[in-house]
Amino acid sequence: MAQQALNNLARGAIGIGAAASLAQASLFNVDGGFRAVMFNRLQGVQKGVIGEGTHFRIPWLQTPHLFDVRIKPRNISSSTGTKDLQVVTINLRVLSRPDEEFLPDIFSSLGLDYDERVLPSIGNEVLKAVVAQYNAEALITKRETVSHEVRTALTKRANEFHIKLDDVAITDLKFGKEFTSAIESKQVAEQDAERARFLVEKAEQEKKAAIIRAEGEATAAAVVSEALQGSPALVELRRIEAAKEIAETLSKSRNVTYLPSGGQNMLLNISSASSSA
């Protein structure tokens, strides 16, 4: 009896374990930001898209495949020729995600690595087509327009593969050595021309200032000359003021003790002259 009870208990444990394993194999989870596409061994890829949460499946017969539907960044680089035959390397930043409604079609035609299969090829295709319409210099001056054309064309091509593009932008432009050297030489020439223009304008301003200053000095000299001719006493006053300034300067020097002027001290003469005046 005891042996039979143990056997029954063992069979029951095995059955419970098998049932638990079967239940675990029959359930699968779809995490946030993911969607699932179900593959049936008898019917192929199912048309419906399975959302987030825990779901039931038939073990062995059905296999879920998870798609990441969150926005993913990608850099696409392409070296191509411009309209004037210059070589340019363009780096493109793309933010993409799959169109959830068409996930079964994407899985059937492209697989889970759809973005690796599609975006680099169509990105290079669009970049080459757009860049070929512009000269190298226009790519710099009309960068926003070029970026808009690339975004429009690439979005249209990606839609053909059920891929949505949330943002497309040109992040970098690199030209060949010859064109880069030509641009640098042009910039240096423009700077030299600007510097020469500044020197010419400076010389013109200095010339005008010198003319105005000369005219002012001539006018002042004419006014003084007229004043001197009209009043001889003014000449004497100027002479006394000049002699006084010279005498005061010399009197402060350690090497000069007195100044002879007609046998009398110059300071005394000036003082007396100032008193008589």
Side-chain angles (χ1 to χ4, degrees), residues 80-84 88 126-135 139:
T80 183
T82 62
K83 188 176 181 180
D84 54 349
V88 58
V126 169
L127 284 174
K128 291 180 184 298
V130 173
V131 170
Q133 302 175 18
Y134 291 89
N135 293 329
L139 289 177

Side-chain angles (χ1 to χ4, degrees), residues 59-97:
W60 183 83
L61 184 63
Q62 294 179 322
T63 304
H65 295 274
L66 300 180
F67 274 87
D68 186 351
V69 296
R70 296 171 295 183
I71 295 174
K72 291 189 291 184
R74 170 177 291 276
N75 290 324
I76 300 174
S77 181
S78 176
S79 294
T80 183
T82 62
K83 188 176 181 180
D84 54 349
L85 304 181
Q86 297 293 335
V87 178
V88 58
T89 300
I90 299 183
N91 290 325
L92 198 66
R93 184 200 62 198
V94 178
L95 299 180
S96 65
R97 57 189 174 88

Side-chain angles (χ1 to χ4, degrees), residues 70-265:
R70 296 171 295 183
I71 295 174
K72 291 189 291 184
R74 170 177 291 276
N75 290 324
I76 300 174
S77 181
S78 176
S79 294
T80 183
T82 62
K83 188 176 181 180
D84 54 349
L85 304 181
Q86 297 293 335
V87 178
V88 58
T89 300
I90 299 183
N91 290 325
L92 198 66
R93 184 200 62 198
V94 178
L95 299 180
S96 65
R97 57 189 174 88
D99 191 339
E100 296 182 22
E101 181 182 355
F102 295 94
L103 286 180
D105 296 332
I106 294 175
F107 180 74
S108 297
S109 59
L110 299 173
L112 294 175
D113 57 345
Y114 64 94
D115 52 342
E116 294 286 348
R117 295 172 178 268
V118 173
L119 290 179
S121 59
I122 66 174
N124 277 277
E125 173 191 336
V126 169
L127 284 174
K128 291 180 184 298
V130 173
V131 170
Q133 302 175 18
Y134 291 89
N135 293 329
E137 188 173 353
L139 289 177
I140 300 175
T141 58
K142 299 180 179 179
R143 180 166 177 168
E144 185 176 353
T145 302
V146 175
S147 182
H148 177 72
E149 288 191 15
V150 170
R151 185 187 308 115
T152 302
L154 189 57
T155 301
K156 182 178 179 181
R157 289 287 288 124
N159 285 337
E160 297 175 6
F161 298 92
H162 309 300
I163 300 174
K164 293 184 177 181
L165 302 183
D166 292 309
D167 185 57
V168 178
I170 295 175
T171 58
D172 191 25
L173 287 173
K174 293 182 180 179
F175 295 92
K177 293 182 178 180
E178 295 181 358
F179 182 76
T180 302
S181 300
I183 291 293
E184 293 176 352
S185 300
K186 182 179 179 181
Q187 290 177 345
V188 171
E190 290 177 351
Q191 292 175 357
D192 291 341
E194 189 67 25
R195 188 179 298 109
R197 189 179 303 109
F198 170 76
L199 293 176
V200 170
E201 292 179 356
K202 181 180 178 182
E204 289 291 335
Q205 294 298 326
E206 291 177 349
K207 180 180 178 181
K208 291 180 181 179
I211 293 173
I212 294 173
R213 185 166 54 251
E215 291 176 350
E217 291 175 353
T219 302
V223 171
V224 172
S225 177
E226 292 178 359
L228 292 177
Q229 292 177 2
S231 178
L234 183 59
V235 177
E236 184 65 19
L237 178 61
R238 295 293 188 186
R239 184 184 68 79
I240 293 173
E241 289 177 351
K244 183 178 179 181
E245 291 178 0
I246 295 172
E248 288 180 354
T249 301
L250 294 176
S251 66
K252 294 177 182 179
S253 176
R254 296 180 179 180
N255 297 327
V256 178
T257 56
Y258 68 94
L259 295 173
S261 178
Q264 296 180 356
N265 190 292

